[in-house]
Amino acid sequence: LMLFEKQFLTGQLSQYHGNVTAAAKASGMTRQNYQRLMKKHNLSAGRFRACRCGHEHPSFQRPSRLKFLAGLPSSCQFAQAEV
């Protein structure tokens, strides 16, 4: 059951590009319950998000955010935001 839950959440978050509200609604759950399951499985919506340039971006938390942004091409909207 644990593996199924995690795979289901991962699939939904991927399909909805990290939009928790949309993923929860499509799953027939409340956002709060969906987030509880995400926490239970140590999932962050940030790792499923992508910017317009197509780069997937992890959670926007420091210090990993700065390390990640340093590796992005200058054309990426998130890399430009830090300049």
Side-chain angles (χ1 to χ4, degrees):
L1 184 59
M2 294 285 285
L3 181 60
F4 172 79
E5 283 179 351
K6 188 169 186 172
Q7 287 177 340
F8 178 78
L9 292 172
T10 301
Q12 289 290 330
L13 287 168
S14 182
Q15 181 178 353
Y16 290 97
H17 307 287
N19 184 330
V20 176
T21 302
K25 188 174 184 177
S27 303
M29 297 180 176
T30 64
R31 181 186 48 79
Q32 293 84 354
N33 283 335
Y34 199 89
Q35 287 176 318
R36 277 190 206 105
L37 278 177
M38 287 174 59
K39 184 175 182 178
K40 174 181 173 183
H41 294 285
N42 198 26
L43 293 173
S44 168
R47 64 181 260 225
F48 298 95
R49 295 188 179 124
C51 71
R52 286 182 226 149
C53 68
H55 295 99
E56 292 184 6
H57 299 281
S59 229
F60 296 112
Q61 297 175 353
R62 300 194 188 271
S64 62
R65 178 179 185 207
L66 294 177
K67 184 178 178 184
F68 176 79
L69 289 172
L72 291 175
S74 60
S75 62
C76 176
Q77 71 182 23
F78 290 104
Q80 292 172 358
E82 288 295 313
V83 176

